[in-house]
Amino acid sequence: MNSSIPVLCIQNLNHYFGQGEQQKQVLDDINLDINAGEIVIMTGPSGSGKTTLLTLIGGLRSVQFGSLRFLDQELCGATPEQLVQARRQVGYIFQAHNLHESLSAQQNVRMSLEVHPQFSSMEMNAMAAKMLQEVGLGDHLHHYPENLSGGQKQRVAIARALVSRPKLLLADEPTAALDSKTGRDVVNLMQYLAQEQGCTILLVTHDNRILDIADRIVHMEDGRLIRRALTTPKS
């Protein structure tokens, strides 16, 4: 089902906030490998370090101690340019859709292509429109967020995250603001599109109703990964 090539290899990762007497350790000796094509769900209480770990993996924060290799690129000690290169291979979906209210759905999706200099303006428009079609919003290209439902906004966010065909999709509580049915629909869509693109998923959630999509579940508490459990095999 999955290839054995690690997309992500984390070894002895530690992270701290603050300095001196105010310094607090938020990640403690994290070790985690994620293979290409895997869907890994991370659970754990609020404040356990899950979001901090996601920001390090996605190149949004600098790695302080240990090793974090993404697509065989070491991010500990990475230059700003190397972090930018890493971010171009990652799609992000957050609890809040984080859409720009002044931009249409198509313009919001197109934004994530603008860091990829190889695409022309016409290509970016076409790719954004096609991705919105794939998430069922082909007739909402020119709708603004204020005219979209919560589920539709999250579909735009999924389209924005996947339009550049990233190698890794990071999702932080993507169903938290959605009702049960809409949340399930959004997760199923995310799973389907990522599998179509051969994308790996790391998803943080408190929503026990969506755990069945995972190949593997990891649990974080007090900055440590304390349990690794395989889910029931998916049908």
Side-chain angles (χ1 to χ4, degrees):
M1 179 177 67
N2 297 326
S3 91
S4 59
I5 303 170
V7 167
L8 188 69
C9 183
I10 302 173
Q11 294 180 317
N12 310 118
L13 180 70
N14 294 277
H15 197 78
Y16 300 82
F17 288 157
Q19 300 289 332
E21 292 182 1
Q22 302 301 316
Q23 189 178 73
K24 178 184 178 182
Q25 187 166 9
V26 291
L27 294 177
D28 185 358
D29 198 32
I30 302 294
N31 291 275
L32 178 66
D33 286 358
I34 299 180
N35 293 327
E38 265 196 301
I39 298 177
V40 177
I41 284 183
M42 183 182 298
T43 62
S46 297
S48 59
K50 304 184 303 297
T51 297
T52 299
L53 181 56
L54 252 60
T55 60
L56 290 168
I57 291 170
L60 298 175
R61 210 186 284 274
S62 295
V63 178
Q64 296 172 339
F65 303 101
S67 174
L68 195 163
R69 298 187 70 83
F70 172 52
L71 299 176
D72 212 27
Q73 170 70 54
E74 178 60 66
L75 297 189
C76 185
T79 65
E81 292 76 16
Q82 288 171 327
L83 289 177
V84 168
Q85 291 296 326
R87 288 196 290 269
R88 288 176 177 167
Q89 301 296 324
V90 180
Y92 305 90
I93 302 172
F94 301 102
Q95 176 177 342
H97 48 76
N98 291 338
L99 300 182
H100 287 264
E101 296 293 330
S102 62
L103 301 179
S104 68
Q106 184 178 23
Q107 290 168 331
N108 267 286
V109 174
R110 175 190 157 134
M111 276 190 64
S112 70
L113 292 170
E114 292 176 357
V115 298
H116 297 268
Q118 69 269 33
F119 300 125
S120 68
S121 179
M122 186 176 297
E123 286 172 325
M124 288 191 286
N125 286 335
M127 292 168 70
K130 183 175 185 294
M131 197 70 224
L132 284 166
Q133 182 76 39
E134 290 193 40
V135 301
L137 293 176
D139 56 349
H140 289 67
L141 300 187
H142 305 298
H143 286 54
Y144 288 83
E146 65 180 3
N147 298 316
L148 299 173
S149 69
Q152 288 172 331
K153 290 176 184 176
Q154 202 63 309
R155 284 171 177 260
V156 175
I158 292 172
R160 181 180 58 190
L162 291 174
V163 68
S164 63
R165 304 187 72 86
K167 299 296 184 184
L168 177 65
L169 177 64
L170 299 176
D172 194 357
E173 298 284 0
T175 65
L178 304 175
D179 62 67
S180 177
K181 182 184 183 305
T182 305
R184 167 56 69 172
D185 289 345
V186 161
V187 167
N188 287 346
L189 174 64
M190 190 165 61
Q191 177 187 21
Y192 169 74
L193 290 173
Q195 287 176 341
E196 285 289 296
Q197 295 188 5
C199 180
T200 303
I201 299 178
L202 177 58
L203 188 154
V204 166
T205 190
H206 287 102
D207 190 347
N208 291 332
R209 299 167 299 185
I210 65 172
L211 299 182
D212 59 291
I213 73 162
D215 296 307
R216 186 157 47 110
I217 297 170
V218 297
H219 185 76
M220 183 172 281
E221 202 159 306
D222 298 326
R224 297 181 66 91
L225 287 178
I226 64 172
R227 184 179 71 240
R228 294 177 178 83
L230 293 176
T231 62
T232 302
K234 295 181 294 185
S235 58

